[in-house]
Amino acid sequence: MSKEITGALFKQMILHGAAAITAQKQAINDLNVFPVPDGDTGTNMSMTIGAAADELKKLPDSAPASEVAKVAASSMLRGARGNSGVITSLLFRGFSKGLEDTVEADGTQLAAALAIGVDSAYKAVMKPTEGTILTVARVAAEKGAAAAEIDNDPIYVWDAICMGAAEALATTPDLLPV
């Protein structure tokens, strides 16, 4: 088994992520209370990543990881809806920068690309607030970087990223006074 994420696999990861966000958009809408409980965060994220999914379906499976990331990022930027959509697109734009010229990504590259995305998203928000998607992405990136130092296997690193995101999400209600 390959120890790297091919373009075809990365494409499938994003498509599955888009489907998961779409399936859970109401739960995500219900989570949002900051800056206002407007109930559209999941919908906006779903529409944003859905724009990428539409374009990625046209991309051949032979495309390198860098091209998959670039197509996803540019599609999300054009299709971004609301603050959550813009932040999601910025996370992917940074991810695209981190995977530039990469045919297949290892765990270290995945973690580093996510960290670039997190940095881009934090810089774009005038007053970053902990307890938001920014916190979830930051903690996920930190857990991914720590995991990559132990084992460069992308599955190991991705599992750490996902577990870090889940842990951070569970703490978000404690971080916001709302």
Side-chain angles (χ1 to χ4, degrees):
M1 182 173 183
S2 174
K3 289 280 191 175
E4 295 188 327
I5 303 293
T6 64
L9 182 55
F10 189 47
K11 174 181 160 180
Q12 286 303 310
M13 291 167 68
I14 296 170
L15 292 174
H16 284 280
I21 288 175
T22 298
Q24 296 297 319
K25 69 181 170 188
Q26 189 55 52
I28 298 167
N29 285 342
D30 295 342
L31 279 174
N32 179 50
V33 295
F34 183 84
V36 293
D38 51 12
D40 65 354
T41 296
T43 301
N44 289 337
M45 289 175 72
S46 174
M47 292 172 69
T48 300
I49 198 166
D54 291 343
E55 291 303 312
L56 288 174
K57 288 174 185 171
K58 301 173 190 174
L59 198 63
D61 285 343
S62 60
S66 59
E67 187 176 350
V68 172
K70 184 178 178 180
V71 167
S74 63
S75 304
M76 284 189 215
L77 184 60
R78 288 189 312 274
R81 301 290 185 266
N83 290 336
S84 59
V86 171
I87 290 170
T88 302
S89 75
L90 290 169
L91 289 168
F92 273 85
R93 185 176 75 180
F95 212 93
S96 177
K97 287 179 183 177
L99 293 183
E100 197 168 42
D101 299 322
T102 301
V103 175
E104 295 181 350
D106 61 23
T108 300
Q109 290 168 309
L110 285 175
L114 180 56
I116 293 169
V118 168
D119 187 53
S120 296
Y122 265 89
K123 286 179 179 173
V125 176
M126 192 178 308
K127 290 183 180 179
T129 301
E130 295 304 318
T132 65
I133 186 176
L134 294 172
T135 304
V136 174
R138 178 183 52 76
V139 171
E142 290 167 356
K143 297 289 186 176
E149 289 182 15
I150 296 167
D151 187 340
N152 193 32
D153 181 343
I155 295 171
Y156 178 79
V157 173
W158 193 252
D159 281 346
I161 287 169
C162 292
M163 289 187 322
E167 290 168 12
L169 180 61
T171 67
T172 57
D174 301 328
L175 298 174
L176 286 172
V178 203

